[in-house]
Coordinates of all heavy atoms in Angstrom, one line a residue:
Y8 N 0.2 2.3 7.0 CA -0.9 3.0 6.3 C -0.4 4.0 5.5 O -1.0 4.2 4.4 CB -1.8 3.4 7.4 CG -2.4 2.4 8.4 CD1 -1.9 2.2 9.7 CD2 -3.4 1.5 8.0 CE1 -2.4 1.2 10.5 CE2 -4.0 0.6 8.8 CZ -3.5 0.4 10.1 OH -4.0 -0.5 10.9
R11 N 0.6 2.6 2.1 CA -0.4 2.2 1.4 C -1.2 3.3 0.8 O -1.5 3.4 -0.4 CB -1.3 1.4 2.3 CG -2.4 0.5 1.6 CD -1.9 -0.7 1.0 NE -3.1 -1.4 0.5 CZ -3.1 -2.5 -0.1 NH1 -1.9 -3.1 -0.3 NH2 -4.1 -3.1 -0.5
A12 N -1.3 4.5 1.5 CA -2.0 5.7 1.0 C -1.1 6.3 -0.1 O -1.6 6.8 -1.1 CB -2.2 6.6 2.1
L15 N -1.5 4.2 -3.2 CA -2.8 4.6 -3.9 C -2.7 6.0 -4.7 O -3.2 6.1 -5.7 CB -4.0 4.6 -2.9 CG -4.5 3.3 -2.3 CD1 -5.2 3.5 -1.1 CD2 -5.2 2.5 -3.4
I24 N -6.0 4.6 -11.4 CA -7.3 4.5 -10.6 C -7.9 5.9 -10.6 O -7.3 6.9 -10.9 CB -7.0 4.0 -9.2 CG1 -6.1 4.8 -8.4 CG2 -6.5 2.5 -9.3 CD1 -5.9 4.4 -7.0
K30 N -15.3 5.8 -3.8 CA -14.8 4.4 -4.0 C -13.6 4.5 -5.0 O -13.6 5.3 -5.9 CB -15.9 3.5 -4.6 CG -17.2 3.4 -3.8 CD -17.1 2.4 -2.8 CE -18.5 2.3 -2.1 NZ -18.4 1.8 -0.9
V31 N -12.8 3.5 -4.8 CA -11.6 3.4 -5.8 C -12.0 2.6 -7.0 O -12.6 1.5 -6.9 CB -10.4 2.8 -5.1 CG1 -9.2 2.6 -6.1 CG2 -9.9 3.5 -3.9
R32 N -11.8 3.2 -8.3 CA -12.2 2.5 -9.5 C -10.9 2.5 -10.4 O -10.2 3.4 -10.5 CB -13.3 3.3 -10.2 CG -13.7 2.7 -11.4 CD -14.9 3.5 -12.0 NE -14.8 5.0 -12.2 CZ -14.2 5.4 -13.3 NH1 -13.7 4.7 -14.3 NH2 -14.1 6.8 -13.4
L47 N -0.9 -3.9 -6.2 CA -2.0 -3.2 -5.6 C -3.1 -2.9 -6.8 O -4.3 -3.1 -6.5 CB -1.5 -1.9 -5.0 CG -2.7 -1.0 -4.4 CD1 -3.6 -1.7 -3.4 CD2 -2.0 0.2 -3.8
L48 N -2.6 -2.6 -7.8 CA -3.5 -2.4 -9.0 C -4.3 -3.6 -9.3 O -5.6 -3.6 -9.5 CB -2.7 -1.8 -10.2 CG -3.6 -1.5 -11.5 CD1 -4.6 -0.3 -11.0 CD2 -2.8 -1.0 -12.6
R49 N -3.6 -4.7 -9.4 CA -4.3 -6.1 -9.7 C -5.3 -6.4 -8.6 O -6.3 -6.9 -8.9 CB -3.3 -7.2 -9.9 CG -2.5 -7.2 -11.2 CD -1.7 -8.3 -11.4 NE -0.6 -8.5 -10.5 CZ 0.6 -8.0 -10.6 NH1 0.9 -7.3 -11.6 NH2 1.4 -8.2 -9.6
Q50 N -4.9 -6.1 -7.3 CA -5.8 -6.5 -6.1 C -7.1 -5.6 -6.3 O -8.2 -6.1 -6.1 CB -5.0 -6.1 -4.9 CG -5.8 -6.6 -3.7 CD -4.8 -6.2 -2.5 OE1 -4.2 -5.3 -2.3 NE2 -4.8 -7.2 -1.5
I51 N -6.9 -4.3 -6.6 CA -8.1 -3.5 -6.7 C -9.0 -3.9 -8.0 O -10.2 -4.0 -7.9 CB -7.7 -2.0 -6.9 CG1 -7.0 -1.5 -5.6 CG2 -8.8 -1.2 -7.3 CD1 -6.3 -0.2 -5.9
A52 N -8.3 -4.2 -9.0 CA -9.1 -4.7 -10.3 C -9.9 -6.0 -10.0 O -10.9 -6.1 -10.6 CB -8.1 -4.8 -11.4
A53 N -9.4 -6.8 -9.2 CA -10.0 -8.0 -8.9 C -11.1 -7.9 -7.8 O -11.9 -8.9 -7.5 CB -9.0 -9.1 -8.4
S54 N -11.3 -6.8 -7.2 CA -12.3 -6.7 -6.1 C -13.5 -5.8 -6.6 O -13.4 -5.1 -7.6 CB -11.6 -5.9 -5.0 OG -12.5 -5.6 -4.0
R55 N -14.6 -5.9 -6.0 CA -15.7 -5.0 -6.1 C -15.3 -3.6 -5.6 O -14.3 -3.4 -4.9 CB -16.9 -5.5 -5.4 CG -16.7 -5.5 -3.9 CD -18.0 -5.9 -3.2 NE -18.0 -6.0 -1.8 CZ -18.1 -5.1 -0.9 NH1 -18.3 -3.8 -1.4 NH2 -18.0 -5.3 0.4
P56 N -16.0 -2.5 -6.1 CA -15.6 -1.1 -5.6 C -15.6 -1.0 -4.1 O -16.5 -1.5 -3.5 CB -16.6 -0.3 -6.3 CG -17.1 -1.0 -7.4 CD -17.1 -2.5 -6.9
R57 N -14.5 -0.5 -3.6 CA -14.4 -0.3 -2.2 C -13.8 1.1 -1.9 O -13.2 1.7 -2.7 CB -13.5 -1.3 -1.6 CG -14.0 -2.8 -1.7 CD -13.1 -3.7 -1.0 NE -13.5 -5.1 -1.1 CZ -14.3 -5.7 -0.2 NH1 -14.7 -5.0 0.9 NH2 -14.7 -7.0 -0.3
S58 N -14.0 1.5 -0.6 CA -13.6 2.8 -0.1 C -12.0 3.0 -0.1 O -11.3 2.0 0.0 CB -14.2 3.2 1.2 OG -13.5 2.5 2.2
W59 N -11.6 4.2 -0.1 CA -10.2 4.6 0.0 C -9.7 4.0 1.3 O -8.5 3.5 1.4 CB -9.9 6.0 -0.1 CG -10.2 6.5 -1.6 CD1 -11.4 6.9 -2.1 CD2 -9.3 6.6 -2.6 NE1 -11.3 7.2 -3.5 CE2 -10.0 7.1 -3.7 CE3 -7.9 6.3 -2.8 CZ2 -9.3 7.3 -5.0 CZ3 -7.3 6.5 -3.9 CH2 -7.9 6.9 -5.0
Q60 N -10.5 4.1 2.4 CA -10.1 3.7 3.7 C -9.8 2.1 3.7 O -8.8 1.7 4.3 CB -11.1 4.1 4.7 CG -11.1 5.6 5.1 CD -12.2 5.9 5.9 OE1 -13.2 6.4 5.4 NE2 -12.2 5.7 7.2
H61 N -10.7 1.5 3.0 CA -10.6 0.0 2.9 C -9.2 -0.3 2.3 O -8.4 -1.2 2.8 CB -11.7 -0.6 2.1 CG -11.4 -2.0 1.6 ND1 -11.7 -3.1 2.6 CD2 -10.8 -2.6 0.6 CE1 -11.3 -4.2 2.0 NE2 -10.8 -4.0 0.8
W62 N -8.9 0.3 1.1 CA -7.6 -0.1 0.4 C -6.4 0.5 1.3 O -5.3 -0.1 1.1 CB -7.6 0.6 -1.0 CG -8.6 -0.2 -2.0 CD1 -9.7 0.2 -2.4 CD2 -8.5 -1.6 -2.1 NE1 -10.4 -0.8 -3.1 CE2 -9.7 -1.9 -3.0 CE3 -7.7 -2.6 -1.9 CZ2 -9.9 -3.1 -3.5 CZ3 -7.9 -3.9 -2.3 CH2 -9.0 -4.2 -3.1
I63 N -6.6 1.5 2.0 CA -5.4 1.9 2.9 C -5.2 0.9 4.0 O -4.0 0.6 4.3 CB -5.7 3.3 3.4 CG1 -5.5 4.4 2.4 CG2 -4.7 3.7 4.6 CD1 -6.0 5.7 2.7
S64 N -6.2 0.3 4.5 CA -6.1 -0.6 5.6 C -5.7 -2.0 5.2 O -5.0 -2.7 5.9 CB -7.4 -0.7 6.4 OG -7.6 0.6 7.0
K65 N -6.3 -2.4 4.0 CA -6.1 -3.8 3.6 C -4.6 -4.1 3.3 O -3.9 -3.3 2.6 CB -6.9 -4.1 2.3 CG -6.8 -5.5 1.8 CD -7.8 -5.8 0.8 CE -7.8 -7.2 0.3 NZ -7.8 -8.2 1.3
D66 N -4.0 -5.2 3.8 CA -2.7 -5.6 3.6 C -1.6 -4.6 3.7 O -0.5 -4.6 3.2 CB -2.5 -6.2 2.2 CG -3.5 -7.4 1.9 OD1 -3.8 -8.1 2.9 OD2 -3.9 -7.6 0.8
H67 N -1.8 -3.6 4.6 CA -0.9 -2.6 4.9 C 0.5 -3.0 5.4 O 1.5 -2.5 5.0 CB -1.4 -1.5 5.8 CG -1.8 -1.9 7.1 ND1 -3.0 -2.6 7.4 CD2 -1.2 -1.9 8.3 CE1 -3.0 -2.9 8.6 NE2 -1.9 -2.5 9.3
T70 N 2.4 -4.5 2.3 CA 2.9 -3.5 1.5 C 4.1 -2.8 2.0 O 5.1 -2.6 1.4 CB 1.7 -2.4 1.3 OG1 0.7 -2.9 0.6 CG2 2.2 -1.2 0.5
V175 N -8.3 6.9 8.8 CA -7.7 5.7 9.3 C -6.8 5.9 10.5 O -6.8 5.1 11.6 CB -6.8 5.0 8.2 CG1 -6.1 3.8 8.7 CG2 -7.7 4.4 7.1

Side-chain angles (χ1 to χ4, degrees):
Y8 297 104
R11 191 77 173 182
L15 287 165
I24 61 173
K30 307 272 188 201
V31 179
R32 180 175 54 84
L47 177 55
L48 183 60
R49 283 190 298 273
Q50 191 178 39
I51 295 167
S54 174
R55 65 178 174 81
R57 294 185 179 267
S58 71
W59 291 88
Q60 286 170 263
H61 169 83
W62 289 115
I63 288 170
S64 297
K65 184 169 180 52
D66 299 334
H67 58 279
T70 298
V175 169

